[in-house]
Amino acid sequence: MRVQSAISVAVTAITRTITVAAGVFAPGHLGELTWQIPFELTDAVLEETRTRERRLRDLPSRVGVYFVLALGLFPGLGYGGVWQKLTAALGGQGLPSPSPKALRDLRRRIGTAPVKALFEVLAGPAAQPSTPGVAFGRYRTVAFDGCTSIKAPDTPRNRAWLGKMKAALGVTGYPAVELMTLVETGTRALIGAVFGPPATGETDYAARLLHLLTSDMLVLTDRGFDAAAFLEAIAAAPAQFLARLRSTRRLPVLARFDDGTFLSRIGALTVRVIEAEVTVTCADGTRYGGRYRLATTLLDHRRYSAAALISLYHERWEHEVAYLALRHTLLTGRVLRSADPAGLEQEIWALLALYQALRRAMVTAVESVPGTDPDRAGFTTALQTAIDTVTAADGVVTSDAKDPGRIGRAVLGALLPPRRPRVSVRKVKSPLSRWNKADPHRPAHSTPVTAMDITVHRPQAPQPATRRQQCLNTARGP
């Protein structure tokens, strides 16, 4: 006798409604990031740059813009693979299946102008001035910095435009793009960007972004931007600055303040100079430090203390975190895909627009919870959630202005802990780099900082002239 047992399995059918553009425009979306780059904006930049199609095609220009942006979300996929991601949830719509050549021709037809215009619309400060970590007093903190770690394919046309950077043992393997950006340090959002061959100096590129400065901004700069003409241009923008100076620079002492700072002049500017020794103590007992010389146009030593300005200068390193997210998280460290300068320009502007859209979505989510610092929003969380919404065509169109969306919920559900002081390992793995030697005084691993000592050094009193100098001065006359 044979006994059979029946096992019942419960099955649930889930039906989901997807709302996208109609007809051949359906593949033109970025999932929930379409909230930041809506159809109306894309159509407007196409109209402004005169790149809209003259007749309706199977691959309209609007779809081409979203396709170019989607290439940045899937850097490891070819044209066909990216198109499949855009149409994965749109089966049964009778959409075309273009060949890689057709998609390449679509990129060329779109060109650079609409993608650049799209970035320029998205670029700018992303947070309200009252958002934690965004402002110092009444000034929004911003920073200039360059990046030369974005590599382009080694083709004759790319080499003719970019050249190759010199290295310790010759030249680098790939041509590199010099990217210069102006960043809001509190959110790491891009205010402006320019790029080109590395042979052009950083200050030359930064000077092309000075028109973006406003009177409510405080610019943080490194030693490479301490030229008198550049600092004068920042002050004339008009904006304030807190700039690190080279240690070899000799500055006159015009007046001394009680906090150890002093008034001086750089070119035609009157500045306040802070010379300090900063020493940190790490959890493993390691102690090391460095000497800083900062110049600022914030002359009131009572309102803007030396210790507060020295602590603020550390915010400049948020710019490096922005490049880390752009180069290593979004681009995954890959070489760009374009083999010619026109394609490289389009690709870079698309990456910058995509990065800015993600930052805007993150800040919008964080500001919905008052008192939350944008530092706690995870870029990787936002990026991966955005990719999921693209493949599912989720949240392309919404009518609920209060809905934080999947990206917002993911960011708020995975907030990082409040920023803690620590020393990060600074390593360059490339053997050709001149920075490939590790600093022997820094810890070998990322280590929490338990104490920080700031000692402000007063300017030395002028030494009396020697007998020989007195004789020379007498001989020269007044």
Side-chain angles (χ1 to χ4, degrees):
M1 184 176 179
R2 198 170 176 183
V3 179
Q4 295 181 346
S5 61
I7 302 175
S8 62
V9 179
V11 177
T12 301
I14 299 176
T15 303
R16 188 166 62 92
T17 301
I18 296 175
T19 304
V20 293
V24 293
F25 294 97
H29 69 89
L30 277 182
E32 204 173 274
L33 282 182
T34 313
W35 297 6
Q36 301 295 330
I37 310 174
F39 302 145
E40 298 81 3
L41 174 58
T42 306
D43 289 340
V45 297
L46 287 170
E47 195 70 37
E48 179 184 347
T49 57
R50 299 181 180 180
T51 48
R52 182 191 293 275
E53 69 279 349
R54 296 182 179 180
R55 58 180 176 83
L56 187 60
R57 302 167 178 260
D58 287 341
L59 297 176
S61 297
R62 183 208 291 176
V63 173
V65 172
Y66 287 110
F67 173 73
V68 170
L69 293 169
L71 291 174
L73 287 175
F74 305 98
L77 298 180
Y79 289 171
V82 175
W83 182 261
Q84 290 176 7
K85 295 293 184 181
L86 289 174
T87 59
L90 306 178
Q93 302 298 313
L95 297 175
S97 298
S99 65
K101 180 183 182 303
L103 294 171
R104 183 174 67 250
D105 293 341
L106 177 62
R107 277 193 65 188
R108 291 174 177 171
R109 174 158 56 88
I110 294 299
T112 301
V115 187
K116 180 181 178 181
L118 189 62
F119 167 75
E120 291 174 346
V121 173
L122 296 173
Q128 299 296 323
S130 59
T131 302
V134 170
F136 177 74
R138 67 184 185 90
Y139 297 106
R140 187 187 300 269
T141 56
V142 300
F144 285 106
D145 203 4
C147 172
T148 56
S149 60
I150 298 178
K151 304 298 189 295
D154 190 9
T155 64
R157 284 179 289 181
N158 286 345
R159 287 197 303 271
W161 179 43
L162 299 171
K164 284 196 174 184
M165 296 176 61
K166 293 182 180 179
L169 303 178
V171 294
T172 55
Y174 290 97
V177 177
E178 174 80 36
L179 174 64
M180 173 60 59
T181 57
L182 176 64
V183 163
E184 180 184 36
T185 60
T187 63
R188 303 161 198 159
L190 302 178
I191 300 174
V194 292
F195 55 86
T200 304
E202 281 192 335
T203 53
D204 295 329
Y205 281 123
R208 293 162 56 183
L209 299 174
L210 289 173
H211 67 281
L212 299 173
L213 297 177
T214 57
S215 59
D216 65 340
M217 290 182 178
L218 174 60
V219 184
L220 311 178
T221 67
D222 200 4
R223 285 173 289 195
F225 300 89
D226 70 342
F230 185 74
L231 297 180
E232 289 174 358
I234 291 177
Q240 308 294 330
F241 65 77
L242 178 63
R244 190 174 182 183
L245 306 178
R246 292 179 175 87
S247 59
T248 56
R249 193 168 201 157
R250 301 183 66 181
L251 297 172
V253 180
L254 304 181
R256 294 179 173 83
F257 295 120
D258 297 337
D259 62 350
T261 63
F262 63 93
L263 283 183
S264 186
R265 292 191 71 81
I266 297 178
L269 288 177
T270 298
V271 297
R272 179 167 155 238
V273 179
I274 306 168
E275 293 185 347
E277 191 81 25
V278 180
T279 304
V280 297
T281 303
C282 300
D284 60 357
T286 304
R287 284 175 56 88
Y288 80 98
R291 194 179 184 95
Y292 285 77
R293 177 190 271 187
L294 306 177
T296 181
T297 48
L298 302 177
L299 305 182
D300 191 339
H301 68 285
R302 295 182 179 87
R303 177 177 295 181
Y304 308 105
S305 67
L309 290 173
I310 292 171
S311 299
L312 173 68
Y313 183 75
H314 185 268
E315 286 290 309
R316 192 194 70 79
W317 291 99
E318 298 295 335
H319 208 142
E320 303 292 342
V321 181
Y323 283 140
L324 180 68
L326 177 65
R327 172 74 178 92
H328 295 281
T329 306
L330 183 57
L331 196 55
T332 65
R334 292 179 178 269
V335 177
L336 297 174
R337 56 173 92 223
S338 303
D340 59 86
L344 285 178
E345 290 187 16
Q346 183 196 63
E347 187 175 355
I348 294 172
W349 286 122
L351 282 171
L352 295 175
L354 189 61
Y355 172 90
Q356 184 70 359
L358 284 164
R359 285 293 180 197
R360 287 165 58 107
M362 294 164 61
V363 173
T364 300
V366 167
E367 288 186 333
S368 67
V369 182
T372 305
D373 196 310
D375 285 347
R376 299 183 59 190
F379 187 84
T380 301
T381 300
L383 174 61
Q384 292 302 319
T385 308
I387 291 173
D388 293 341
T389 66
V390 170
T391 55
D394 188 17
V396 176
V397 179
T398 181
S399 58
D400 187 358
K402 296 183 179 180
D403 181 14
R406 285 180 60 181
I407 297 177
R409 288 191 293 270
V411 168
L412 294 177
L415 287 176
L416 302 173
R419 182 69 63 86
R420 60 194 185 281
R422 64 173 181 170
V423 174
S424 296
V425 181
R426 192 175 187 183
K427 292 182 179 178
V428 177
K429 298 180 180 179
S430 173
L432 299 177
S433 172
R434 59 175 176 166
W435 307 110
N436 62 345
K437 303 298 182 184
D439 186 346
H441 303 291
R442 293 171 69 98
H445 305 282
S446 295
T447 310
V449 172
T450 57
M452 179 180 296
D453 299 321
I454 299 175
T455 305
V456 179
H457 296 282
R458 297 179 179 275
Q460 296 181 355
Q463 299 296 324
T466 63
R467 190 175 188 85
R468 182 171 180 275
Q469 289 173 334
Q470 291 175 356
C471 294
L472 289 174
N473 292 338
T474 304
R476 290 171 182 161

